[in-house]
Amino acid sequence: MSFSKTELWPRFQKYYTEFPSLGLAIDLSRMNFSADFLASMKTPIQKALIAMAELEKGGIANPDEKRMVGHYWLRNPALAPTKTIQKEIEDTLASIKEFAAQVHSGAIKGSKGPFKNLLVIGIGGSALGPQFVAHALGHPKTDKMSIFFFDNTDPDGMDKVLAELNGQLGETLTVVISKSGGTKETRNGMLEAQVAYERAGLKFPTHAVAVTGSLSELDNYAKNNNWIRRFPMWDWVGGRTSELSAVGLLPAALQGIDIDEMLSGAKACDDITRQTDINQNPSAQLALMWYYIGNGKGTKNMVILPYKDRLEFFSKYSQQLIMESLGKEKDLDGKVVNQGIAVFGNKGSTDQHSYVQQLREGILNFFVTFIEVLKDRDGKSIEVDPNVTSGDYLEGFFLGTRQALYENGRESITLTLQSVTPFSVGLLIALYERAVGLYASLVNINAYHQPGVEAGKKAAAAVIDLQRRILNYLIEKRGHALTSAQIASGIGAHDDFETVFKVCEHMAANPDHGVKKTPAKSPFDATYQRMQ
């Protein structure tokens, strides 16, 4: 049951909290929790805060892998459990700044002159964080380098990026990011980039930097091939919480973004979100609202709507952070719980013309997080109507949409930022990282492992192995036109006929493996053969 407009004003006054030191406010008034909900959750949230404090001290928070979880130390190295870790963090930050300064000054340059472009190769957290920050804080007039991404193993996507860099690779620095160095999407992107440089008559190692784990495949490859520099990734930092490590700070520093301010924003948010008074802890408030709206089971999807173009990528970034952290089959006791919160998002007011119609009148399986940014732009705006600016319209669409949804029983949280700056981006990252950790404690799951991701990697590897067997069989049977079922039987893949069919279709659609398809009346009677 929604509250009336007359009831909303006192409720707004009660559940709207400003955090002046952060330039942040959070409004819970349009979440219809009962008056006693927060009090009833006092004990569980205090337990979650205690668990978080233990995590920050270096406790084993990832029992599956026996690892510490230390992304909070990245913005406050003094919290690290050992002096060795503290020094590694501080030395890496200093090294990032020194390297960026050398690149910007031209002391480190490409074969065709000073580096003016940056190609980042990574996937998941190794791409989403840097993409979010680059889009939020970059500007053509102030960027020291133009930034591009390989964030998938899609050949056409990589060709598109390389076309934009055509003739400029000699002035392009490539940063390859992979903790293990064995992530196939990133490895493939690196190999594609390497060949592109070589085809342009350039030496890839003199344009390449690695961000990776010590002694990983990538670390050894970069060392043996004399890449420009290697920066560390640590096993106590997960990919989805790595933006404030070298993973995100190196690209940001090279782009010309103030990484000290990003770290300051995150640290300031951490300081506040450690508070045990939930009325003064925005991360605890977010976690409790997620718990309330989904009955502790994630029964409602989260729709993130930032009313600011610069924050467009925040929904993608937070999608991985939240869904990879919270989407778990089993809880810490080994009980099957199938937990998780699905996250979607676009940006306002684009959504007025896309899916707000369904949000207002369709199936009620979601709640909204609005992100309002008070500052429109640097400087004054023109009037598009008498005494009305474009930014005024954006605010009007935000307030109108929020009210229209609430009038139809759609609940929402609103985060208000003063402006989009390195400080506010850092605090947003920290705000959601801690909210995820607290919520995970509330529902008794491990937020810091990803068995489903690992299962997907193993399944993909099995498909590649199957493709090798198919291709070898077609080579052996060269000159024979065979259906996919005949091929599957021939290689003993009796329980994988569908995958064999799909692999044959893919190979025949590309010239790489010399496989020709002869169509038939039924797609399953089509034949495939290896050509000379």
Side-chain angles (χ1 to χ4, degrees):
M1 177 67 69
S2 299
F3 294 90
S4 68
K5 280 191 175 183
T6 55
E7 294 172 311
L8 269 177
W9 173 237
R11 187 171 175 81
F12 176 77
Q13 291 176 291
K14 185 175 182 180
Y15 294 118
Y16 171 83
T17 310
E18 291 187 348
F19 302 89
S21 64
L22 299 180
L24 170 73
I26 184 167
D27 172 21
L28 310 179
S29 63
R30 284 166 174 77
M31 299 290 278
N32 297 333
F33 54 92
S34 63
D36 62 351
F37 172 74
L38 295 179
S40 73
M41 294 297 293
K42 185 174 181 180
T43 297
I45 196 64
Q46 293 304 320
K47 287 182 179 179
L49 288 163
I50 291 170
M52 181 66 70
E54 290 302 311
L55 178 147
E56 289 193 292
K57 291 177 183 176
I60 300 299
N62 193 342
D64 289 5
E65 301 169 334
K66 308 300 181 187
R67 290 179 179 175
M68 299 181 292
V69 175
H71 48 276
Y72 296 104
W73 312 331
L74 297 170
R75 49 266 203 172
N76 190 354
L79 291 176
T82 70
K83 291 295 183 182
T84 299
I85 292 176
Q86 177 179 348
K87 188 174 187 303
E88 286 177 349
I89 297 170
E90 292 170 344
D91 288 351
T92 298
L93 180 59
S95 181
I96 288 170
K97 293 178 182 177
E98 177 190 22
F99 180 74
Q102 290 177 317
V103 170
H104 296 157
S105 70
I108 296 175
K109 60 184 178 180
S111 57
K112 299 294 185 180
F115 288 120
K116 65 180 183 180
N117 302 310
L118 175 63
L119 173 61
V120 177
I121 302 176
I123 197 165
S126 298
L128 287 168
Q131 284 173 320
F132 161 50
V133 169
H135 190 77
L137 299 174
H139 194 285
K141 289 186 177 180
T142 57
D143 286 351
K144 294 184 182 297
M145 300 178 75
S146 299
I147 190 165
F148 303 83
F149 291 89
F150 282 3
D151 64 352
N152 200 358
T153 186
D154 178 2
D156 186 53
M158 290 184 276
D159 285 348
K160 183 175 182 292
V161 172
L162 290 172
E164 294 180 72
L165 290 169
N166 185 40
Q168 303 177 55
L169 286 178
E171 303 163 291
T172 299
L173 178 67
T174 292
V175 176
V176 184
I177 307 173
S178 173
K179 182 189 287 187
S180 69
T183 303
K184 298 306 181 186
E185 297 94 333
T186 304
R187 188 281 311 264
N188 295 351
M190 178 197 75
L191 294 175
E192 293 267 3
Q194 181 172 294
V195 169
Y197 276 89
E198 291 170 352
R199 286 174 175 169
L202 306 170
K203 294 180 179 179
F204 182 63
T206 61
H207 301 78
V209 171
V211 181
T212 188
S214 176
L215 302 180
S216 72
E217 292 180 37
L218 177 58
D219 190 42
N220 292 329
Y221 186 84
K223 180 180 179 180
N224 293 336
N225 287 277
N226 297 313
W227 286 20
I228 300 172
R229 193 73 59 88
R230 292 169 290 137
F231 292 88
M233 292 179 74
W234 301 291
D235 65 0
W236 41 265
V237 177
R240 58 192 174 279
T241 55
S242 64
E243 175 54 28
L244 297 179
S245 72
V247 169
L249 295 182
L250 178 61
L254 289 167
Q255 191 177 351
I257 293 165
D258 189 338
I259 60 175
D260 284 330
E261 276 296 290
M262 286 176 60
L263 292 167
S264 294
K267 180 181 181 300
C269 189
D270 286 344
D271 291 342
I272 283 179
T273 55
R274 289 189 188 100
Q275 294 198 40
T276 56
D277 179 0
I278 60 176
N279 295 315
Q280 297 300 317
N281 185 329
S283 287
Q285 290 181 14
L286 284 178
L288 287 168
M289 290 301 98
W290 300 351
Y291 189 92
Y292 149 72
I293 195 72
N295 298 310
K297 300 179 185 298
T299 57
K300 293 287 182 71
N301 302 326
M302 182 189 304
V303 178
I304 297 179
L305 299 181
Y307 274 69
K308 196 69 174 175
D309 285 2
R310 286 186 174 273
L311 298 181
E312 179 181 4
F313 279 72
F314 183 67
S315 58
K316 288 184 67 176
Y317 167 78
S318 56
Q319 187 177 61
Q320 186 201 9
L321 173 65
I322 294 168
M323 294 180 72
E324 191 167 285
S325 298
L326 302 182
K328 302 296 161 65
E329 180 183 22
K330 297 179 180 179
D331 66 12
L332 290 171
D333 300 321
K335 180 182 176 182
V336 174
V337 290
N338 298 117
Q339 274 285 356
I341 301 175
V343 180
F344 306 96
N346 195 349
K347 66 177 182 179
S349 66
T350 300
D351 304 294
Q352 317 299 130
H353 306 280
S354 55
Y355 56 76
V356 164
Q357 169 65 32
Q358 176 165 319
L359 294 185
R360 189 173 192 276
E361 298 184 4
I363 185 171
L364 182 49
N365 61 349
F366 69 93
F367 68 102
V368 177
T369 299
F370 290 102
I371 302 179
E372 172 192 25
V373 179
L374 296 180
K375 184 177 179 180
D376 292 335
R377 59 155 46 112
D378 291 330
K380 294 187 66 175
S381 293
I382 66 166
E383 293 182 2
V384 293
D385 283 321
N387 295 315
V388 179
T389 68
S390 299
D392 295 335
Y393 268 107
L394 187 63
E395 179 74 2
F397 282 127
F398 150 61
L399 292 172
T401 299
R402 185 177 67 153
Q403 185 59 28
L405 293 180
Y406 189 71
E407 287 173 352
N408 226 29
R410 275 59 176 157
E411 296 171 76
S412 66
I413 301 166
T414 296
L415 300 177
T416 300
L417 297 172
Q418 288 292 320
S419 57
V420 177
T421 64
F423 185 93
S424 65
V425 165
L427 81 86
L428 261 183
I429 291 169
L431 178 72
Y432 273 77
E433 284 179 349
R434 195 173 298 262
V436 164
L438 293 174
Y439 179 87
S441 292
L442 289 176
V443 298
N444 193 38
I445 60 170
N446 180 1
Y448 305 108
H449 69 165
Q450 50 280 336
V453 175
E454 299 307 315
K457 291 180 180 179
K458 290 178 181 177
V463 172
I464 295 300
D465 181 66
L466 181 66
Q467 176 179 302
R468 292 192 183 99
R469 292 163 57 198
I470 294 169
L471 191 56
N472 288 337
Y473 186 72
L474 288 175
I475 292 172
E476 179 186 332
K477 299 292 184 180
R478 186 182 281 114
H480 293 78
L482 304 169
T483 67
S484 62
Q486 289 171 329
I487 295 169
S489 297
I491 63 173
H494 301 292
D495 59 347
D496 225 347
F497 277 67
E498 181 183 339
T499 307
V500 171
F501 170 77
K502 296 296 289 184
V503 169
C504 288
E505 285 286 288
H506 180 260
M507 288 197 297
N510 293 280
D512 310 307
H513 303 299
V515 175
K516 178 185 177 183
K517 173 185 176 181
T518 302
K521 187 173 182 180
S522 165
F524 309 113
D525 291 330
T527 58
Y528 308 87
Q529 59 180 313
R530 171 64 184 260
M531 307 303 292
Q532 296 295 333

